[in-house]
Amino acid sequence: MSETDEKRIAPRHRVLKQGRLAFDGGGAVDCMVRNMSDTGARVEVVSPVGLPEAFTLVIPSDKFTRRCHAVWSHDKRIGVAFD
């Protein structure tokens, strides 16, 4: 188990869903949701440059909307925790 796995409160399940990171005041960035749990998710974006620390994850196919914040990022991957 990696160090990241040990810090998780809830187990994550692999998914492959198109999503969007929506920002306060307008604007959004498309993302791909790669795994999810009750407490967070891992998303991939084209470029994390300029992303705010907090945003709303929207998955239109599931009618899912959840306020969240970035916990870690590496290249195009971002780990988010749901608020």
Side-chain angles (χ1 to χ4, degrees):
M1 226 193 273
S2 76
E3 187 176 318
T4 304
D5 292 333
E6 294 171 12
K7 293 178 183 177
R8 291 185 182 148
I9 295 169
R12 292 204 174 169
H13 304 283
R14 292 178 71 166
V15 297
L16 184 61
K17 297 183 183 252
Q18 185 64 41
R20 187 171 61 246
L21 304 178
F23 314 128
D24 293 339
V29 171
D30 289 334
C31 69
M32 184 62 64
V33 182
R34 300 302 234 161
N35 67 37
M36 286 185 74
S37 74
D38 291 338
T39 60
R42 178 172 61 99
V43 300
E44 292 182 3
V45 294
V46 172
S47 173
V49 175
L51 288 180
E53 190 172 315
F55 38 79
T56 300
L57 173 60
V58 179
I59 304 172
S61 64
D62 293 349
K63 296 182 178 153
F64 178 91
T65 302
R66 187 76 63 93
R67 189 76 181 150
C68 54
H69 63 276
V71 177
W72 60 266
S73 66
H74 185 266
D75 295 328
K76 299 176 181 182
R77 295 173 295 191
I78 304 168
V80 301
F82 299 140
D83 295 339

